[in-house]
Amino acid sequence: MPLKPIPLRPVTPRPRRHSNSPLVVSRSVLKLGSLGFAGILALALLAPALGRAEPAIGRAQAVSAKNGMVAAQEALAARIGADILRKGGNAVDAAVAVGFAMAVTYPRAGNIGGGGFMVIHRAGGGDIAIDYRETAPQGIDEKSFLDAQGNADPKKSRDSALAIGVPGTVAGLALAEEKYGSGRFTLADLIAPAIALARDGIPIADDTADTLPVDRLRLARWPSSLKIFFKPDGQILTPGDRLVQADLANTLEAIAKSGPRAFYEGAVADKIAAAVQGAGGVMTVDDLKAYRAVERAPVRGSYRGYDIVSMAPPSSGGIVLIEMLNILEGYDLAHENAAQATFLMIEAMKRAYADRAVFLGDPDRVAIPVERLTSKSYAAAWRATIDPARATPARDIRAGGTLDTEGRNTTHFSIIDGSGNAVSNTYTLNFSYGVGLVAAGTGVLLNNELDDFAAKADAPNAYGLLGSTANAPAPGKRPLSSMSPTIVLKDGKPFLITGSPGGSVIITTVLQIVVDMIDRNMDIAAAVSAPRVHHQWLPDHVDADPGLAGELIAALQARGDAVATRRLPSSANSILVTPDGFVGAADPRTRGSLAAGF
Ligand code: DON
């Protein structure tokens, strides 16, 4: 694909009086399309958010340990992972155990009915990326998510069984274990804790108690889901009740006994295909049989002497993260004041997300100019379009239109073992509880991941993200993701393991954790807890977590950015490696998250 990346003319630097920066350039003169109605609509949607009071974010606890650490969004699963490390497992063994456990203990996003990405750093050298993203069934094409008038129909891509992608998690976790586990545990050993929790049940608490009432209507649409998440009287499970998942225990047992093919072929696959088709979807047993997790070369970059290792397409995460870091490397962020540093980050975000919309998709279907997009020279060209004193309007970066974003859920965990093997894993059902459908007889809650395709050019997905033909739906194709499991290395050894849920917000969350660690030298608990900002090119406004300093917001507004306060749906469970050992911090935004070390 020919790359014509930057529809902006570099601005000519010219000195201007400004309190924050010695070198300030004039605003670029830009002639691209106007946001028009979509822009006005975005602003109208934004207006109510502007004055809304949001609950403050708690403070993460820093947990120190010498021998191993798991930081995850759910405590039972984090402890299971730490236990595997304690028994001599490596970080991959622990990750596989946590991955299966969270399918039981964190049904909102932990899953075997969805997909995700795992980035591994091996202590002996070598970085690996496992792509276990869902694929579109063969029956999906570029018209699948349109209505009779040819417009994008979010009901089809978000709320119907057409949205269900072929799940990748079981294949991905099994591949990780087979190739990169320590060999001290069988897959069955690592699934065993999950089976016990599914069979015996777990108390409804923490995040599950918070989210089940909110998402109950998604689940209540199907009797198979009602049976599990509701009481006989039709009320949703609440604290004091237990979540017992006997069918899920049986499915996990089948995988433990016969390996991942027991999920993709035979009785379980038959039931999943029947459930999806019964609900109006198109997934077949052949789609399930054909699913494969694949290894990709991780995307690599550098930032101020650190190496960044992150997820490759079909996630946009690594490329967009490295593009933003490359742009920012040209500024002395450590010595900028907070408002100016945040402003520059936002300018970098706008530009990298504009590229995301145009160039990125499934690498098996579209040619992606990865090297160019992650090159220092490309970033320098973008940097030259940034006016340090004035926000560039999104329409001047590339024309388009979009709606507001919504928070949903995904889950990220970071793990390191005593030998220095590290795993950064993000997986998801897309929305909380996915499409809400449990495939009857399997206990498997299914995803609605296919909304991550661009149903139509300029029709935003649930996170307000736009896409192009590169990310159009097609049979067997993987939808573009923002999940960004990331490992930062210093001198070839892990320094930071991070990632987050949050749809479009994921990549900017990871950016801020990296900048907080490298430029600001913050402690990891403070960085994980800190209020964050987000800009995704369109809609053209900054989202700011509650608690961001009023003066900082005012400074962004003075430079021309519109700022809305809303709780960003991030949860950056991270681990920092220090000379004294590991420091884990689970994000206080999720109730029940835990860093467990030993
Ligand atoms: O792959 C993606 O980018 C999305 N499906 C992730 C969804 C997500 O993070 C929801 N979490 N809040």
Side-chain angles (χ1 to χ4, degrees), residues 21-231:
S21 170
L23 174 69
V24 184
V25 296
S26 70
R27 186 173 180 189
S28 51
V29 184
L30 302 157
K31 300 188 195 135
L32 288 164
S34 140
L35 261 189
F37 175 71
I40 294 163
L41 184 60
L43 279 178
L45 285 168
L46 184 67
L50 289 170
R52 203 195 304 146
E54 297 268 359
I57 297 161
R59 160 86 202 199
Q61 231 183 320
V63 176
S64 304
K66 295 268 184 214
N67 301 307
M69 178 73 70
V70 179
Q73 234 161 306
E74 196 284 318
L76 289 169
R79 290 198 187 99
I80 286 169
D83 200 43
I84 295 290
L85 294 177
R86 204 175 287 115
K87 288 178 178 154
N90 70 11
V92 174
D93 299 328
V96 171
V98 172
F100 279 110
M102 286 187 84
V104 178
T105 62
Y106 197 78
R108 172 188 187 188
N111 69 81
I112 57 171
F117 303 106
M118 182 184 288
V119 173
I120 303 171
H121 171 79
R122 301 183 82 196
D127 300 305
I128 288 119
I130 298 178
D131 162 9
Y132 57 98
R133 182 71 160 167
E134 300 91 328
T135 53
Q138 289 301 315
I140 293 292
D141 61 27
E142 72 284 356
K143 298 214 168 60
S144 293
F145 304 113
L146 304 182
D147 64 16
Q149 285 71 48
N151 297 316
D153 183 349
K155 284 196 293 306
K156 287 187 178 167
S157 64
R158 296 172 203 173
D159 302 330
S160 87
L162 281 175
I164 303 171
V166 183
T169 299
V170 173
L173 296 181
L175 172 69
E177 181 53 24
E178 190 190 325
K179 288 195 70 177
Y180 303 109
S182 66
R184 293 198 181 97
F185 298 86
T186 62
L187 189 62
D189 294 332
L190 302 174
I191 300 178
I195 297 173
L197 290 169
R199 202 167 295 294
D200 301 344
I202 52 170
I204 295 289
D206 295 327
D207 184 79
T208 302
D210 292 343
T211 56
L212 273 179
V214 178
D215 294 298
R216 68 187 193 288
L217 296 179
R218 293 193 81 64
L219 294 158
R221 296 182 295 165
W222 286 290
S224 50
S225 309
L226 273 172
K227 211 176 93 184
I228 295 166
F229 293 103
F230 291 71
K231 295 183 256 205

Side-chain angles (χ1 to χ4, degrees), residues 108-109 115 117 133-134 314-316 356 406-411 426-432 448-449 451-452 461 463 465 479-483 500-506 569-570:
R108 172 188 187 188
F117 303 106
R133 182 71 160 167
E134 300 91 328
S315 177
S316 60
R356 181 194 193 280
E406 295 174 43
R408 300 293 180 181
N409 214 269
T410 295
T411 187
T426 315
Y427 72 157
T428 190
L429 293 165
N430 194 25
F431 286 15
S432 288
N448 61 345
E449 212 74 63
D451 185 60
D452 281 348
N461 76 357
Y463 307 98
L465 291 166
L480 183 64
S481 174
S482 301
M483 291 188 279
S500 176
S504 57
V505 166
I506 293 172
S570 64

Side-chain angles (χ1 to χ4, degrees), residues 432-459:
S432 288
Y433 306 96
V435 78
L437 170 64
V438 172
T442 69
V444 178
L445 194 49
L446 293 164
N447 67 83
N448 61 345
E449 212 74 63
L450 302 192
D451 185 60
D452 281 348
F453 281 125
K456 199 180 172 195
D458 290 336

